[in-house]
Every structure is written in C-alpha cells, then in structure tokens.
Amino acid sequence: MEFSSADGAEQYAAVVRAGRRLLVALDFDGTLSPIVDDPAVAHIHPDAGEVLDRLAAEVRSIAVVTGRPARQVLALGGLDEVGDAIAEHGRELVVLGQYGNERWTSAHRRVVSPKPPPAISGLILALPHLLRRAGAPEAWIEEKGLAVAVHTRRLADPAAAFERLLPVLTEAARERGLSVEPGRLVVEIRASGMDKGRALHALVSEFEAGAVVFVGDDLGDVPAFEAVLELRATGLPTLLVCSGSDEESALRALADVEVAGPDGVMAFLAELAEDVRIRHA
C-alpha cells in the first residue's frame, strides 16, 4: 500500500488498532462500481460481496453513502444479499441514498425517504430550455425523485459540455433554493440541508465509532472528506482513501491513500480486513 499523505502510514496504523470500533463508509459509483456511460448498468465490483463480508467480520460497521437513490444501489449492488452475509457476523449494513436523505439497513429492510421538494419538479420542467441555452440539448437527464442529474458522458465532447452546463445549472438551482453537486461529467441538483459530510457525522454518532475510514472518488465526496478531517482534529483515528481516475483529481490533495479505481478499492479493503484480523487475533 502506498500512502499519499505525510502521515498516511500513521493514520492507517491507528484505524487498524481501532479494529472492531471502526466504521468503514464508501461511495458507490467509481468506488464500489466502475464509472460507465449508462449509470443504470453500473453494477458493483464482482469481488465486493466477498470483500465486504470479510471486512464486516472485523469492524464495527459498514455504510454505503451515495448520491444515487437507495433502491437503485440495492439493486445494482446486490446489497440485500451482502446485508444477509454481514448479519451473520452480528453486524449491520447501512445504505444512505441521495446524499443521506434516504436510509436502508440490513436490519429493517425498507427505504425511509422524505417527499421530493416541489422545486425539483419545477427545475425538471425547465431543463430542456436550460440544456439548449448551454449548447447541450442532448445531455441525458436522470430523475432521482429527491434530485435530478444531468449527464454529459454520452456527448461528443463531454468535458466541454459539462463546463458549459455547470454555470447554467448552478444559477437555475440557486434561484430555486437547491444545491448543486458536480461530479464526473455529471451535474446533480438536489434539496439543500443534507450532504455526505452531515450523513457521515450522523453515522459516527449512531454507531459510537472509535475510528473512521471513508473511500470516495469525486466532488460529491468532498463534504465527507472534510467531515473526516474535522473528526481527525478531535483526535479520532481516521483514514481518507481516494479511488483515483484520470477524470477527477479533487480528492487527491486530501487523501491519505490513493488506489486505482474499484479494483484498487477491493484490494485496499481486503488488506484492511486482514490487518485488523491479525492485529486483534
């Protein structure tokens, strides 16, 4: 394992020592699953079920914190079955969808979600005009209930289209009191009041975690990274892992460890599980 921060090795050793008080939280897209042109087929890494099961036997809790709707992640990730396996270790898998607005656990097996804000419906009606204004009328609109995402990955020049769209959609969102989450060739707009950082703080409190590892890959994970650094400042052992790519580098400067996409995430989690097992055998 290669550490990308000056004290990465020390941070890693501290979370390993925390062992069964450790909370491991992960993004989904680009972290547990590869980034693909069609998000509807972004299935979880084939090794994820086995690796998460092994990890669950050694740590306090595992959570998936994603911008996707929780039901979508459950289906793409086969997380119902993963939750069954984790339950055999006396642990609970938590899935927080829509940046923490939705919640599912392997203990309760139902998604708890607030009602969509009316402003989202209004924005969706305005999107065709906004996309034409930004010169990207063929950008793909993904309605998520509590949010809407505009993808440019399928366009001829996706990066240029993204740069044109971002200021237009940001202005439209702010006029409606909504939040904007830029990602990897996607602009997501959602209700204000919740982000991955707040969601992570709540998980740490709920599970009385004695240490935290967070793994993410893009701009939507910045609030979670910042939350981890806040927890670190209080003395809590923490580790930040960036699932790196050529498309996004926002997390690299904050991370303690950088790995090569979902393959690297699986290798990291397997190594973490084994090191905790040996340390606490």
Side-chain angles (χ1 to χ4, degrees):
M1 182 185 306
E2 294 186 7
F3 298 100
S4 52
S5 69
D7 59 349
E10 180 181 345
Q11 296 293 340
Y12 181 77
V15 299
V16 168
R17 286 195 299 272
R20 291 176 176 82
R21 297 182 296 123
L22 174 61
L23 166 68
V24 179
L26 309 110
D27 180 34
F28 187 77
D29 290 285
T31 300
L32 287 175
S33 73
I35 295 292
V36 293
D37 288 345
D38 183 355
V41 296
H43 294 288
I44 200 167
H45 192 284
D47 296 339
E50 177 186 352
V51 171
L52 292 176
D53 180 33
R54 288 165 54 193
L55 182 63
E58 309 300 338
V59 303
R60 175 72 179 89
S61 186
I62 297 175
V64 177
V65 186
T66 174
R68 283 183 182 264
R71 289 184 180 86
Q72 193 177 73
V73 169
L74 289 168
L76 293 173
L79 295 179
D80 277 296
E81 292 79 6
V82 175
D84 288 337
I86 286 176
E88 294 182 6
H89 303 296
R91 304 292 194 272
E92 187 176 23
L93 175 66
V94 177
V95 176
L96 299 182
Q98 307 257 6
Y99 297 90
N101 282 303
E102 295 182 335
R103 179 184 174 92
W104 176 96
T105 73
S106 55
H108 296 99
R109 301 284 169 161
R110 70 185 185 92
V111 175
V112 178
S113 175
K115 293 181 179 180
I120 290 292
S121 299
L123 178 67
I124 290 172
L125 291 174
L127 276 177
H129 168 72
L130 293 170
L131 299 189
R132 289 193 298 270
R133 177 178 149 196
E138 297 180 351
W140 179 47
I141 300 170
E142 180 188 8
E143 297 183 24
K144 298 184 173 185
L146 298 178
V148 59
V150 180
H151 299 261
T152 65
R153 186 172 297 277
R154 299 175 181 178
L155 302 184
D157 190 344
F162 174 87
E163 292 301 324
R164 293 195 304 273
L165 273 171
L166 183 57
V168 172
L169 296 181
T170 297
E171 178 186 4
R174 288 177 177 166
E175 288 174 352
R176 293 166 173 80
L178 300 170
S179 294
V180 176
E181 291 283 357
R184 289 162 67 172
L185 302 179
V186 58
V187 181
E188 185 155 325
I189 302 168
R190 57 183 177 80
S192 300
M194 178 59 75
D195 59 36
K196 291 187 181 184
R198 295 180 185 183
L200 190 60
H201 274 298
L203 286 171
V204 170
S205 177
E206 175 184 354
F207 289 102
E208 299 180 342
V212 180
V213 170
F214 185 84
V215 190
D217 76 304
D218 71 4
L219 290 170
D221 297 311
V222 169
F225 269 50
E226 292 174 342
V228 169
L229 293 174
E230 291 168 5
L231 292 165
R232 182 177 298 181
T234 70
L236 193 75
T238 64
L239 190 77
L240 288 167
V241 182
C242 172
S243 176
S245 76
D246 294 333
E247 294 180 355
E248 184 58 68
S249 60
L251 302 182
R252 286 175 176 160
L254 301 175
D256 301 301
V257 179
E258 183 178 353
V259 299
D263 286 340
V265 172
M266 292 302 108
F268 165 78
L269 294 177
E271 184 172 353
L272 175 64
E274 182 64 9
D275 287 345
V276 173
R277 185 192 68 78
I278 293 171
R279 177 69 173 77
H280 297 276

